[in-house]
Amino acid sequence: MSVTLSPRALMSLLVNGPKAVDVLETALAVGLLDALEAGPGRLGELAERLGARPLRLYKFLDCLETLGVVERDEPGDDIAQAVYRAVPGLKEAVLAVVGPEAIERDRDRYPWRRLHGRLAESLRGEVSMTEDDFVWPPKTDEQTAAFERSMSAGVGPAVETIHRHADRLWSGRRRFLDVGGGDGTLAARVLDDVPDLRADVYNLPAVAPLVEQTRARCGHPDRLGFVGGDFFAGPLPSGYDALAFVRVLHDWPNDVARRLVEKAYAALEPGGLLLICEEFRTPDRLAIQFFWSYFLVGVDSAFSRLREAEWYTGLLKEVGFERIEVLPGGWELVTAYKPTTT
């Protein structure tokens, strides 16, 4: 099901955004989303199950219908017979946005209120984020660790996509380097799928304690390692037949992203696999990225540039990679291979 709203109706929903979140949080808390997860439900039965007054629940479900997340079939005048269906994945999506581990909750801790109501001044450069609010690139070990913790909170869609394609990605691979791999969450999840693989996270030395914490709680600490370094300071570590940039390249201008891909090509063994997983530029991804687009209005040093997947496939071809594909998933995954002979 899809809903197309007029610009006027969309503006009304945006103005009432906090109320919409209240509706979604309530639908989750009272068990309505659980009830609809099992399949279509009649209003009368839903009201009895939830201990709700039918007429009030009817209007509450109108709110959800307006948001485009449920559809209604009302055959007659008896509202108790109205049947409601949820869009596939509704409960999962609501949990992802308003649940205790929601990435939106993590982002909301950043001091965005410094800009709120002052965007016009910020656009003119009169209001900015200070280095106490946000600094990019991080300058201290503490800032680096805080940034990596935050980034790891949003790596779920990449983990899902790489897991989805595990059978075709990892056959015959022995050593995997996750460049800028945060606290090792993604590398540890890859190791869950591939028992014969060893994975190392390559990141600034300040991130080592975070990876050590991940090692301590994962099921294969002997296969998860850490290599300290700065991917700008020199070549990437060699000896790996798989290498990944996950949520890394979008942080840098085009020429820097190109140099990093060139370094990956040089570091990989012949036949090596390169993975690129980013928030590629799509309507969905722009919506999910809205917070950073808003917040970074007040920051001149950060790019966070969403590019189309085609930009990366073109770059990979220019650098010399072959067998380039874009695999579907929560975030699309670009894969490419270094030729076995050059």
Side-chain angles (χ1 to χ4, degrees), residues 19-59:
K19 304 176 189 69
V21 172
D22 188 28
V23 167
L24 293 171
E25 289 180 328
T26 301
L28 180 65
V30 303
L32 177 58
L33 300 188
D34 287 315
L36 294 176
E37 184 98 346
R42 295 187 185 279
L43 178 73
E45 297 166 356
L46 291 170
E48 183 176 358
R49 173 173 174 172
L50 302 179
R53 297 184 182 184
L55 181 58
R56 295 189 178 191
L57 182 59
Y58 179 85
K59 290 178 281 191

Side-chain angles (χ1 to χ4, degrees), residues 2 18 27 41 65 67 83 90 94 115 172 174 204 217-218 229 241 275 322:
S2 62
E65 185 182 359
L67 296 175
V83 176
L90 174 58
V94 174
L115 302 180
R174 299 172 292 102
L204 296 171
R217 61 177 180 264
C218 76
D241 57 6
L275 307 170
E322 61 184 17

Side-chain angles (χ1 to χ4, degrees), residues 98-249:
V98 301
E101 303 300 322
I103 189 173
E104 282 77 7
R105 294 193 186 279
D106 175 78
R107 302 300 183 252
D108 209 45
R109 67 186 177 82
Y110 287 88
W112 59 270
R113 292 170 183 80
R114 181 177 294 277
L115 302 180
H116 191 241
R118 305 185 69 186
L119 279 176
E121 298 167 72
S122 182
L123 288 171
R124 294 191 295 267
E126 298 163 7
V127 174
S128 301
M129 292 293 171
T130 70
E131 290 199 355
D132 290 333
D133 300 322
F134 182 84
V135 59
W136 181 258
K139 294 182 178 178
T140 67
D141 288 354
E142 182 179 4
Q143 291 167 346
T144 298
F147 176 79
E148 294 294 353
R149 287 191 193 96
S150 182
M151 291 303 99
S152 294
V155 80
V159 169
E160 179 272 327
T161 302
I162 293 173
H163 169 72
R164 175 176 172 178
H165 299 286
D167 289 345
R168 68 182 297 174
L169 294 176
W170 304 113
S171 178
R173 303 288 150 190
R174 299 172 292 102
R175 298 190 67 204
F176 167 51
L177 184 68
D178 190 5
V179 180
D183 67 356
T185 295
L186 182 138
R189 292 293 298 274
V190 167
L191 294 178
D192 290 340
D193 291 328
V194 196
D196 296 327
L197 188 70
R198 175 176 174 82
D200 290 327
V201 173
Y202 181 69
N203 215 327
L204 296 171
V207 185
L210 302 183
V211 177
E212 184 59 33
Q213 292 171 17
T214 301
R215 287 184 71 251
R217 61 177 180 264
C218 76
H220 26 67
D222 57 317
R223 294 192 289 125
L224 178 62
F226 178 81
V227 179
D230 181 345
F231 52 52
F232 292 136
L236 295 178
S238 59
Y240 295 89
D241 57 6
L243 187 150
F245 293 118
V246 176
R247 303 189 76 210
V248 171
L249 300 178

